[in-house]
Amino acid sequence: MVRGLGYLRSLSDLENVPVIAKNGTPVLIKDLGTVAFGPDIRQGVAEWNGEGETVGGIVVMRDGMNALNVIEGVKRS
C-alpha cells in the first residue's frame, strides 16, 4: 500500500514509476504487482472492551451548569 502526495495524477502515472533497473532495463511498479485504487484509510475507530467497534461522543456542558445533572441527563437520553 502506498499513500502520499506528489506529482502522480493517475494510476497509469504510478504504474510507470521505476523501482530498480536490471541490466539497464527499468523494473516498473506495474511489473511487480497490481496497481489499483483502494478505500481510504480509516481513522478514529473506537473499540469497546475487545468486543468490536462502537460509537463515541463528546458532551459539552454550558458554563455554570451542574456536571452531575448534565451526566444524568445524558444517561436518560
Side-chain angles (χ1 to χ4, degrees):
M1 180 185 305
V2 177
R3 184 171 178 89
L5 301 174
Y7 295 108
L8 304 174
R9 299 286 181 229
S10 68
L11 284 179
S12 178
D13 290 345
L14 184 59
E15 287 175 331
N16 292 305
V17 171
V19 178
I20 194 171
K22 291 257 184 172
N23 299 322
T25 302
V27 177
L28 308 177
I29 289 179
K30 68 182 175 186
D31 299 328
L32 302 175
T34 303
V35 179
F37 286 118
D40 282 342
I41 296 173
R42 294 185 65 193
Q43 298 177 356
V45 175
E47 196 270 338
W48 184 257
N49 292 332
E51 297 177 19
E53 295 178 16
T54 189
V55 176
I58 297 173
V59 175
V60 178
M61 183 178 77
R62 291 185 176 159
D63 188 39
M65 299 296 292
N66 180 299
L68 185 56
N69 289 341
V70 171
I71 292 169
E72 289 173 358
V74 169
K75 289 180 179 180
R76 282 193 304 266
S77 297

